[in-house]
Amino acid sequence: MPTTRLHLVSAEEDHRVSTIELFFDLVFVYAITQTTQLMADHLSPLGVGQGLAMLAVLWWCWCSYAWLGTTIHVDHGIARLAMFGAMTVMFLVSLTIPEAFVDHPGGLFAPGLFVGCYALVRLLHLVAYLGAAQRDPGLRRVLLKMFVGLLPSVVLLAVSTALTGPWQLGLWVVALLVDYLNVYLTGPDGWRLNSPAHFAERFGLIVIIALGESIVAIGIGIGALPMSWLVAGAAVCGLTLAAGMWWAYFDVVARVSEHRLTQATGVERAKLATDSYTFLHLPLIAGIVLVALGLKKAFLSIADTENHTPGEALHGVPIWTLTGGLALYLIALSSLRKRNLGSWNHQRLVVGVLLVAATPLLEHVPAAVLLLIIAGLVLGLVTFERFRFAEWRRQVHTAHS
């Protein structure tokens, strides 16, 4: 695969996100929706664990192609065909998500198909990346090290198809740890990041996609159920919550993260990209997905008046996914600040801890009031930061405008 046909990204050019990358992300949108539905259909600690493990697998696939897009122009030459091939296989992965852990009677053996398609997505990525690294021994070396971690991970996932329940999930966790730790311990030396603005934009867009899932969850939660003033008010609260989460990331965090990435060079830039984006954005996305699941169940409780009363509270796993997901999101944002600026965002940590601590009390609050409280809490947090750090925020906006 000659590098001339791969259209390598140079360090000088202003490389932005291409339409084929956005097209690729549409498959990931569907995969996130399927993962949320997987947890909704198996609403238990085990089911949520399966959903989070699934998200970690999908995230590794998406991140792989995000890194690839910083090295080659994926909308040119043979790379375009590789992207379409990866999209096709990734779509098959998404279709098998509902049966990835428990095969339904009839048809193909879905858990095996899932693992096979996942392995193929990763191998397609590796082949394309190795083609781009023909004249770069350092990049080629680190890619082969990544392959060393991929093989045992895929084998463990394949073995897990013969198991069920906690043992199966446990093997998934081990497989993911092998793959993730292999990349982390290999270190940043050898990776190339010629277009930091493109890289940061890719991750910003995937956050938007995940937040979009939380909005979609509102509509899915209501479904064909009749509208009411209570449902309308709850919908406004749900949208306010999503808007507050958007603000908490894009108003300052995304700007500072991109600036730090752009200012860094060489190995330091690769290390920053790995820490801030590849790893710390995973709990960020996981938090959004858990919030989407909680919103979906909350709106079902509010709108389905035949099976639920207007004053009914949210209990058990659904409320913990809502409050715990939001807490995880805020903690991940604070961790990004720590990585990029060297200090924690204490108010976000405090709000996250308070959310988790107050969850047993919130289980006695009607679902509609619960949404109002959480939306008001996030809105209060961003308003406090807007005025408390007004001067610093203005400097950040001016520097990155």
Side-chain angles (χ1 to χ4, degrees), residues 325-344:
L326 182 54
L328 179 61
Y329 181 76
L330 294 173
I331 292 170
L333 288 175
S334 186
S335 299
L336 279 170
R337 178 188 172 93
K338 176 64 175 177
R339 179 61 182 86
N340 289 300
L341 297 179
S343 61
W344 295 97

Side-chain angles (χ1 to χ4, degrees), residues 281-304:
H281 270 65
L282 174 56
L284 197 75
I285 300 297
I288 297 173
V289 171
L290 289 174
V291 168
L293 176 61
L295 285 175
K296 182 176 183 177
K297 290 302 178 180
F299 274 91
L300 180 62
S301 174
I302 294 168
D304 187 5

Side-chain angles (χ1 to χ4, degrees), residues 20-42:
I20 196 170
E21 289 174 296
L22 296 176
F23 193 27
F24 180 84
D25 288 352
L26 291 178
V27 179
F28 195 72
V29 171
Y30 180 59
I32 291 179
T33 303
Q34 288 281 78
T35 303
T36 305
Q37 189 60 48
L38 173 70
M39 292 187 285
D41 292 339
H42 304 87

Side-chain angles (χ1 to χ4, degrees), residues 241 245 287 289-296 298 314 316-328 355 359 367 370-371 374:
L241 172 59
M245 294 172 72
V289 171
L290 289 174
V291 168
L293 176 61
L295 285 175
K296 182 176 183 177
L314 209 60
V317 173
I319 190 173
W320 281 100
T321 59
L322 182 57
T323 59
L326 182 54
L328 179 61
L355 270 170
T359 300
L370 171 67
L371 292 181
I374 292 179

Side-chain angles (χ1 to χ4, degrees), residues 22-209:
L22 296 176
F23 193 27
F24 180 84
D25 288 352
L26 291 178
V27 179
F28 195 72
V29 171
Y30 180 59
I32 291 179
T33 303
Q34 288 281 78
T35 303
T36 305
Q37 189 60 48
L38 173 70
M39 292 187 285
D41 292 339
H42 304 87
L43 208 56
S44 66
L46 177 62
V48 172
Q50 290 174 339
L52 292 176
M54 176 64 68
L55 184 63
V57 167
L58 297 173
W59 179 253
W60 217 227
C61 289
W62 184 87
C63 277
S64 298
Y65 285 88
W67 276 90
L68 179 64
T70 67
T71 307
I72 62 177
H73 289 276
V74 294
D75 56 338
H76 294 300
I78 198 170
R80 180 185 295 179
L81 298 178
M83 285 293 286
F84 281 129
M87 285 172 60
T88 302
V89 183
M90 193 66 196
F91 188 58
L92 292 177
V93 169
S94 302
L95 289 173
T96 57
I97 286 175
E99 300 180 75
F101 293 94
V102 179
D103 186 42
H104 296 169
L108 299 172
F109 182 59
L113 181 61
F114 173 88
V115 174
C117 289
Y118 166 68
L120 185 54
V121 168
R122 295 289 303 277
L123 287 174
L124 285 171
H125 164 263
L126 187 65
V127 169
Y129 229 143
L130 284 173
Q134 282 185 2
R135 299 178 183 178
D136 189 338
L139 179 57
R140 189 166 62 249
R141 184 167 51 251
V142 77
L143 286 169
L144 292 175
K145 287 181 179 179
M146 186 176 70
F147 182 67
V148 170
L150 172 62
L151 279 179
S153 178
V154 170
V155 170
L156 288 170
L157 288 176
V159 172
S160 75
T161 61
L163 304 175
T164 58
W167 289 106
Q168 182 187 39
L169 178 59
L171 206 55
W172 269 60
V173 172
V174 173
L176 287 166
L177 285 175
V178 169
D179 206 358
Y180 274 64
L181 284 175
N182 176 65
V183 172
Y184 183 79
L185 295 176
T186 297
D189 190 24
W191 291 108
R192 308 290 180 253
L193 191 62
N194 289 334
S195 183
H198 170 273
F199 191 75
E201 186 180 5
R202 288 288 283 130
F203 280 81
L205 289 171
I206 209 63
V207 172
I208 286 285
I209 285 173

